[in-house]
Amino acid sequence: MKNRLRTLFSDAPSDESPSHLLSQELEFELSKSILTFAFIGGAVTLKTALGIDRPIEEGFIQALAMAALSAVLALGSQQGIIKDLRLKRVASPIRRQFRSAPPSLASGFALGFALKYFEFAPEYFG
């Protein structure tokens, strides 16, 4: 058990194989996509909310805050990947999970708050 925990939290030496480098590139591209969607989603939400004739409510602020948090987390994830490549190390499994899960989760919350704010109902999607 102790060894399993140690392997989850410890970084490995460099892996210069093409498959590892490709996986790092794909992780970086995922973070870049989340970052792009967060900025575009935040801008669209802001523009749309300013164009409607109702007061800005709590859900709107939450949607923008989660979009901003998602963007910051995705940018941090990208910086971590670059740092690992510079230091020629393979990130631990826990570090990789903390890089990918929080930006995606925050992005999902931002979308949920935006849908709730704009009162989208399932009948609009069918």
Side-chain angles (χ1 to χ4, degrees):
M1 182 69 167
K2 195 180 224 183
N3 287 336
R4 176 71 178 141
L5 285 175
R6 189 172 294 144
T7 59
L8 284 175
F9 287 96
S10 63
D11 296 325
S14 179
D15 181 6
E16 298 291 325
S17 69
S19 61
H20 173 70
L21 295 176
L22 177 62
S23 72
Q24 291 295 95
E25 183 178 349
L26 292 174
E27 276 186 55
F28 188 87
E29 289 296 322
L30 173 67
S31 294
K32 187 168 77 172
S33 296
I34 292 171
L35 184 64
T36 303
F37 290 138
F39 278 125
I40 292 172
V44 167
T45 302
L46 183 60
K47 174 69 173 144
T48 305
L50 294 177
I52 59 177
D53 293 333
R54 71 179 228 214
I56 293 178
E57 298 169 357
E58 185 176 310
F60 172 74
I61 301 298
Q62 290 171 333
L64 285 182
M66 290 310 254
L69 178 63
S70 175
V72 168
L73 291 170
L75 188 60
S77 176
Q78 287 179 327
Q79 295 302 315
I81 293 167
I82 291 170
K83 183 178 180 181
D84 283 344
L85 290 171
R86 277 196 192 128
L87 295 175
K88 296 186 184 259
R89 71 177 179 199
V90 177
S92 69
I94 293 294
R95 187 181 310 216
R96 286 194 313 264
Q97 287 300 316
F98 278 113
R99 272 190 200 147
S100 63
S104 300
L105 187 64
S107 184
F109 275 120
L111 178 63
F113 285 129
L115 289 175
K116 183 179 176 188
Y117 175 73
F118 291 112
E119 297 175 354
F120 284 113
E123 64 265 9
Y124 294 133
F125 298 110

